[in-house]
Amino acid sequence: MAEAVSRPEGSRGLFWTSIVVVYAAIVLFPIFWMATMMVKPNDAMFARPTQWLFVPTLDHFSYVIEQGFHWSLLTSFVLCSISTLLVVIIGTPAAYAFARFEMKGKDDLFLFILGSRMAPPVCLVIPFYLIYSKVGLLDSFLGLTLAYMTFNLSFYVWVLRSFCRDLPVELEEAAALEGWSKVQVFRRVVFPLLRNGIVATSVLCFIFAWNEFLFAFMLGGNSVTTLPVSIPKLITSQGVRWGEMAVVGMTALVPVLIVVFILQRHIVRGLTLGAVKG
Amino acid sequence: MSATTEAAPAHAPKASALRESAWYPYILIAPSMITLVVVSLVPFIYAIYLSFHQAKFGRVRDFIWFDNYATLLSDERFWNSIGVAATFVFIAVPIEFMLGLVGALVLNQNVRGRSVLVPLLFMPTMMAPIVVGLLWKIMLAGSWGFFSYNVLERFNILTDTSIFASPDLALYALIFVDIWQWTPFMMLAFFAGLQALPLGPYRAAAVDGANPLQIFFHITLPMMTPLLAVIGLLRFIDAFKVFDTIYILTNGGPGTTTETPSILANKMTFEFWNIGEASALAVLVWIAFFAFCTIFYQVAKKRLNAF
């Protein structure tokens, strides 16, 4: 809120605003360009010099549907929803406990959580692949749901804990003095207060799962194919299907776009693991 | 950074009503801990087991002590991958950091329409890395890519070929993509930090007639230091493990010029099926990461008062 002190006149505000707008336009141009490729005929796509005007076509969309990519969309949606729901159910009590109670070895446990979040996925995918091939979890919903826990559960516990710490402890104590059981205190006092934090954090988990590529690529397969995995599949022996890739890529982008607009205040906090109270 | 509201002081009698049973918190964390042990500790231990065995094409054979590690550490390709990752991280992250800080200071001016601009600026960071890769594959495609044709060819940097096929430039193209994706994150994190700074020191500085540079170096920067450090470290850790964008853009090529440890480990596993050595690589990377995390956590917690 440093701006309040040195608040400039309106014209200077316009100056800074235009700088940010120009910057945003440059940075976002590639996204816009990819969007146009969804409806760009192939010959216009590869034209030199770059063609700005063209007759739009829906060919790319029809190919994408012919190839059954809407099933990948459905798979992604179901998989990400299930894994996020599990994370919320398992992780919420843990986040609360870490924020409220003293425990032996708390720092070590916490480091374990942080370590799980930071571990490079490529290190995990090797043992996962071998274990899964032995126990028959390759190409299954359960297998991917579990794999997604490595980064999302630890992320969820870590970030939600920072939301928990912002809650005033007095309310819970008062409720406990009233003779409420611990479960009642959690359900009727903590949970309602924490709802915004839970929504913000879990939606970020959903997005991480939605964007995830390596696990889905290596541990998924023909029956469980997520949207990101279907993108490299469009690099065929007859050449790269750019327009179709653009369609799938933009489809993957839409939920992210919606979430970012709704949750903008909480995203910074989530991505910085709660170090910034956005 | 945050006022800790952990357990209430011991002398407060009310608090005991919440805390009386020692096992309650452990019950709350048990499901998470069990899950994390299964999905992250077990694979780690299994990777250690594999790294001590001769394992190729999915068959685990003899126990060979540290042979896989010895082979790996004497392999030029391994050291090349470390060098590539170091170059990538030590160029990309500082640039993202500086651009992010400048961007945050600009955003902190009297900018209007932030509620629309901020989410728009966040788009690159929140996109799937594989889509980011695709995006730049399109923009930088040889001869017809928008950016290749209109910028690179026009300035005679490259003609008629994809920048990702150039041994000298491919890594810098990847760095450019990373900067494109992550500068907005730095910018908005720093901006959130600026917005949370207390006003008092600024009022005092205004009374004293300090100029903007003095205000920045004597007030803003010192108060922001913990946050800058935490975000910078976080980005360092994340940048080391970038996989998806590199995989789709170059997959380590041309040659091994963009082959980071992540890409190399993946190739060792799923292309050469040399699982023992790949596991050794994974274990080394894992240990390095964990050591870094430990230091990161201690520093962030004690020195920087973050988390």
Side-chain angles (χ1 to χ4, degrees):
Chain A
M1 259 150 261
E3 52 173 346
V5 177
S6 56
R7 171 155 286 148
E9 299 82 52
S11 61
R12 295 248 320 264
L14 216 57
F15 170 72
W16 292 115
T17 308
S18 49
I19 286 189
V20 177
V21 168
V22 170
Y23 170 80
I26 294 171
V27 166
L28 297 177
F29 178 75
I31 302 178
F32 162 77
W33 197 249
M34 185 165 82
T36 66
M37 287 184 61
M38 291 195 294
V39 290
K40 206 170 188 175
N42 280 333
D43 48 340
M45 211 179 290
F46 305 120
R48 284 159 59 97
T50 306
Q51 255 186 34
W52 289 87
L53 295 173
F54 52 88
V55 183
T57 167
L58 288 176
D59 288 357
H60 305 315
F61 283 90
S62 52
Y63 180 85
V64 160
I65 290 169
E66 258 170 50
Q67 295 293 308
F69 281 96
H70 49 288
W71 291 114
S72 313
L73 182 65
L74 187 68
T75 304
S76 266
F77 194 78
V78 172
L79 180 66
C80 297
S81 305
I82 294 174
S83 74
T84 305
L85 192 68
L86 268 176
V87 163
V88 172
I89 294 170
I90 298 175
T92 308
Y96 172 67
F98 273 119
R100 275 288 177 271
F101 303 104
E102 273 314 313
M103 281 176 273
K104 254 186 211 150
K106 189 166 162 177
D107 258 16
D108 296 329
L109 288 174
F110 226 58
L111 209 51
F112 174 53
I113 293 178
L114 185 67
S116 303
R117 155 70 175 70
M118 299 295 187
V122 76
C123 295
L124 281 158
V125 83
I126 299 169
F128 261 120
Y129 183 84
L130 292 171
I131 296 172
Y132 278 13
S133 62
K134 271 182 193 154
V135 298
L137 275 175
L138 282 181
D139 202 8
S140 70
F141 270 92
L142 179 63
L144 277 184
T145 307
L146 273 176
Y148 285 0
M149 291 273 182
T150 50
F151 55 90
N152 266 349
L153 180 59
S154 42
F155 169 83
Y156 182 84
V157 172
W158 188 286
V159 174
L160 192 67
R161 166 182 161 274
S162 109
F163 280 101
C164 286
R165 294 213 303 201
D166 293 349
L167 303 181
V169 71
E170 289 77 14
L171 286 173
E172 292 152 54
E173 286 165 356
L177 276 183
E178 289 290 316
W180 289 17
S181 75
K182 292 187 169 62
V183 178
Q184 282 175 316
V185 171
F186 186 80
R187 236 189 45 210
R188 299 205 202 145
V189 181
V190 179
F191 188 72
L193 289 170
L194 206 51
R195 207 161 39 202
N196 285 340
I198 291 174
V199 169
T201 318
S202 61
V203 169
L204 276 175
C205 285
F206 183 92
I207 292 294
F208 292 151
W210 183 263
N211 287 348
E212 205 284 328
F213 171 72
L214 183 65
F215 285 135
F217 190 56
M218 296 303 175
L219 308 176
N222 288 325
S223 51
V224 184
T225 310
T226 66
L227 212 52
V229 173
S230 60
I231 289 176
K233 281 195 174 167
L234 289 162
I235 304 175
T236 66
S237 49
Q238 287 96 38
V240 182
R241 295 196 157 262
W242 297 102
E244 286 77 6
M245 276 189 168
V247 172
V248 180
M250 289 307 291
T251 312
L253 202 57
V254 172
V256 179
L257 192 74
I258 296 168
V259 166
V260 172
F261 266 92
I262 297 173
L263 289 183
Q264 50 159 317
R265 279 186 59 249
H266 298 296
I267 286 173
V268 176
R269 179 177 189 153
L271 291 181
T272 58
L273 299 176
V276 181
K277 305 277 154 71
Chain B
M1 204 122 303
S2 61
T4 309
T5 49
E6 282 176 14
H11 59 263
K14 315 186 273 184
S16 62
L18 254 185
R19 298 194 303 151
E20 67 198 30
S21 49
W23 45 261
Y24 181 54
Y26 292 100
I27 289 179
L28 293 180
I29 67 165
S32 287
M33 286 303 144
I34 293 167
T35 312
L36 280 179
V37 164
V38 171
V39 299
S40 119
L41 199 60
V42 169
F44 178 55
I45 292 167
Y46 190 60
I48 295 176
Y49 168 84
L50 287 170
S51 72
F52 286 119
H53 286 76
Q54 194 177 21
K56 280 193 177 174
F57 304 103
R59 276 196 211 129
V60 183
R61 291 208 182 87
D62 309 328
F63 181 80
I64 52 169
W65 289 101
F66 288 93
D67 278 11
N68 283 324
Y69 290 93
T71 320
L72 187 69
L73 292 173
S74 60
D75 188 351
E76 239 173 76
R77 206 163 167 179
F78 167 72
W79 293 108
N80 172 66
S81 74
I82 303 275
V84 169
T87 314
F88 179 84
V89 170
F90 284 102
I91 296 178
V93 177
I95 293 178
E96 287 157 17
F97 189 93
M98 295 309 292
L99 290 178
L101 189 56
V102 171
L105 290 168
V106 170
L107 210 52
N108 201 36
Q109 303 300 315
N110 196 11
V111 171
R112 292 152 193 190
R114 282 201 198 115
S115 56
V116 178
L117 284 170
V118 165
L120 282 177
L121 288 177
F122 240 128
M123 288 316 300
T125 296
M126 295 299 289
M127 279 167 80
I130 199 84
V131 177
V132 171
L134 166 64
L135 198 67
W136 287 101
K137 225 176 155 74
I138 290 173
M139 297 299 282
L140 289 167
S143 83
W144 63 273
F146 184 90
F147 204 71
S148 303
Y149 181 79
N150 294 294
V151 180
L152 298 182
E153 286 201 26
R154 198 140 296 177
F155 292 97
N156 270 324
I157 298 169
L158 261 189
T159 40
D160 224 36
T161 171
S162 165
I163 194 168
F164 299 113
S166 154
D168 300 325
L169 296 175
L171 184 59
Y172 297 99
L174 293 177
I175 290 171
F176 171 79
V177 173
D178 197 71
I179 292 170
W180 179 82
Q181 191 182 5
W182 288 102
T183 300
F185 162 71
M186 295 291 225
M187 184 169 154
L188 295 165
F190 293 158
F191 170 61
L194 285 173
Q195 293 274 300
L197 291 181
L199 278 176
Y202 288 96
R203 293 219 176 87
V207 170
D208 289 345
N211 67 41
L213 270 183
Q214 286 172 323
I215 291 178
F216 176 73
F217 282 107
H218 293 288
I219 301 175
T220 308
L221 206 54
M223 285 200 291
M224 287 280 283
T225 305
L227 182 69
L228 295 176
V230 169
I231 310 264
L233 285 168
L234 210 56
R235 188 78 266 282
F236 258 107
I237 295 175
D238 277 348
F240 260 111
K241 54 183 195 191
V242 172
F243 177 82
D244 306 2
T245 32
I246 303 183
Y247 178 80
I248 194 171
L249 287 174
T250 65
N251 195 21
T256 56
T257 48
T258 60
E259 195 172 75
T260 62
S262 287
I263 297 285
L264 180 59
N266 189 60
K267 276 189 190 169
M268 278 180 169
T269 316
F270 297 102
E271 280 177 33
F272 317 145
W273 293 101
N274 191 350
I275 288 155
E277 212 175 312
S279 300
L281 174 54
V283 169
L284 287 183
V285 172
W286 220 322
I287 289 171
F289 263 79
F290 199 73
F292 200 85
C293 285
T294 310
I295 298 166
F296 170 71
Y297 181 58
Q298 298 301 341
V299 171
K301 203 180 155 212
K302 302 225 166 73
R303 297 258 180 82
L304 307 171
N305 290 318
F307 299 128

